Amino acid sequence: MDLGLKGKVALVSGASKGLGLGVARALAQDGARVSICSRDQASVDAAAQTLRTETGADVIGFAADVAKAADVQAWIEGSVEQFGKIDALLVNAGGPPGGLFKDLTDAQWQAAFDLTVMSAVRMIRTAIPHMNAGGAILTITSSSVQEPIERLVLSTSMRMAVVGIVKTLADELAATGIRVNNIIPGRIDTDRVAQLDQAAATRAGITFEEARARSLTKIPFGRLGTTDEFGDAAAFLLSPAAAYISGASLRVDGGMMRSV
């Protein structure tokens, strides 16, 4: 299926590895021109070169910490300077640390707010003036927005706020022809999921392999998803092929989530 992304300009944050890289790859494979960012210049340069080599697409990379307003502005404005417009924006940032509510400090709550909520607000607000009808915005959330996860109260709280922002913007931006959606990863094979499994193993006094095996029993497919599978779903929602989808949340979870 041709998603209609050839020649489109897509911006993908947090794209030096993991989910963001999977999305950037899928967009580039379908012919989009892609701008990626990540906090580390060497990592983002390596990812951009990998994508150019794999896909032949026009890919540029910026070092940017999306928790910082100035970095967000520099990335988006620098991308527009090179590509002239924005057709698609993937909002993505690393997850806040785990922990029990009683142990979390004000500083940790503020840092999580800046990383997850304000990064989304700033990226979307800065990108919108450069988007025309047919533009698409997609935020990566978490399965915790539908089924809260133990010890992830920071992530759950902040990502639920982002879901509320997206649902509101879907209405506010409808008249402009810009779509806004969420995508919900289940257990995808990333460093973040490995860290969570290792933390679970440590708490339970078992090996990483045992903790991973336990987690897989909760997934009907019996395996982790791949970043490419996740990227393909995200690319669809960011593409003209999803022209009548807005204000939605798509699960990519192998059937793991039990809520309806």
Side-chain angles (χ1 to χ4, degrees), residues 44-146:
V44 78
D45 286 346
Q49 182 57 52
T50 296
L51 292 173
R52 287 192 292 266
T53 301
E54 290 178 351
T55 69
D58 191 356
V59 182
I60 56 176
F62 289 80
D65 181 349
V66 295
K68 299 178 180 178
D71 283 16
V72 169
Q73 184 171 355
W75 170 50
I76 292 179
E77 292 185 352
S79 300
V80 172
E81 183 177 344
Q82 293 205 41
F83 286 147
K85 62 175 181 174
I86 300 173
D87 296 299
L89 171 67
L90 189 283
V91 174
N92 176 43
L100 297 175
F101 178 85
K102 68 181 181 65
D103 298 325
L104 298 169
T105 66
D106 283 5
Q108 288 174 305
W109 278 98
Q110 186 63 57
F113 179 72
D114 289 337
L115 175 65
T116 307
V117 179
M118 287 310 300
S119 68
V121 169
R122 290 165 178 155
M123 280 188 267
I124 294 169
R125 185 172 58 202
T126 308
I128 285 173
H130 304 289
M131 302 183 96
N132 296 316
I137 298 166
L138 182 65
T139 76
I140 297 180
T141 61
S142 164
S143 61
S144 66
V145 302
Q146 296 192 348

Side-chain angles (χ1 to χ4, degrees), residues 105-205:
T105 66
D106 283 5
Q108 288 174 305
W109 278 98
Q110 186 63 57
F113 179 72
D114 289 337
L115 175 65
T116 307
V117 179
M118 287 310 300
S119 68
V121 169
R122 290 165 178 155
M123 280 188 267
I124 294 169
R125 185 172 58 202
T126 308
I128 285 173
H130 304 289
M131 302 183 96
N132 296 316
I137 298 166
L138 182 65
T139 76
I140 297 180
T141 61
S142 164
S143 61
S144 66
V145 302
Q146 296 192 348
E147 294 182 358
I149 299 172
E150 181 186 6
R151 303 183 71 89
L152 289 184
V153 64
L154 286 177
S155 178
T156 300
S157 302
M158 301 305 164
R159 296 190 192 281
M160 283 185 172
V162 173
V163 170
I165 292 167
V166 165
K167 192 63 177 176
T168 301
L169 283 176
D171 289 341
E172 290 188 9
L173 296 178
T176 70
I178 297 173
R179 300 179 297 104
V180 195
N181 292 292
N182 302 296
I183 187 165
I184 303 174
R187 295 185 61 79
I188 309 298
D189 192 7
T190 63
D191 290 347
R192 168 74 166 175
V193 169
Q195 290 166 3
L196 294 174
D197 282 343
Q198 183 59 62
T202 300
R203 290 195 303 272

